[in-house]
Amino acid sequence: MFSDFQDSRNRGWCSAFEKLARTHHPRTNSCEFAIKEYEEQTQIEVGVTLCSHELDIDDDGAIFPKEERIISLFVEEITKKAVYEAFEAHKHDFPGFYILAYHRCYPDAEF
């Protein structure tokens, strides 16, 4: 969160506190807290569709998952790896389910 100006006065811009700072300055607890808060704000909400491994057959003979659920996860970037890593922490809550699809959530969207 620091951008070095590369000037002769050894200064740069601290985005955590929105002020000038020396290039070589200690990383304090306040810095750690500001960085953690920034990282939490940049997380993206993703809607994840889960399907059960157990299958069912309808009257027409079509096969489909017996159960489907949609959950919400938070990731730093929308990639398959990030979504699967975020789901790993909740996997024990959904035994027998796999990720079918995922998409970014837009909670304030109007349709």
Side-chain angles (χ1 to χ4, degrees), residues 71-83:
I71 63 169
S72 177
L73 297 174
F74 288 91
V75 295
E76 291 181 17
E77 60 181 347
I78 302 177
T79 62
K80 184 176 181 178
K81 181 181 179 190
V83 171

Side-chain angles (χ1 to χ4, degrees), residues 4-78:
D4 192 350
F5 290 159
Q6 302 288 326
D7 65 358
S8 61
R9 293 160 66 181
N10 293 325
R11 297 182 309 160
W13 187 256
C14 175
S15 297
F17 298 104
E18 298 294 323
K19 66 179 188 176
L20 286 173
R22 293 272 177 207
T23 303
H24 302 287
H25 62 278
R27 189 168 176 166
T28 64
N29 286 340
S30 297
C31 293
E32 294 294 334
F33 180 74
I35 291 168
K36 183 179 178 184
E37 191 174 75
Y38 173 78
E39 288 173 348
E40 288 173 357
Q41 289 176 353
T42 59
Q43 294 213 336
I44 303 165
E45 186 176 5
V46 178
V48 180
T49 304
L50 302 175
C51 289
S52 64
H53 287 286
E54 193 175 345
L55 301 175
D56 209 353
I57 300 173
D58 66 7
D59 296 336
D60 297 326
I63 299 173
F64 60 94
K66 190 169 191 168
E67 196 173 348
E68 187 175 294
R69 296 181 186 178
I70 298 175
I71 63 169
S72 177
L73 297 174
F74 288 91
V75 295
E76 291 181 17
E77 60 181 347
I78 302 177

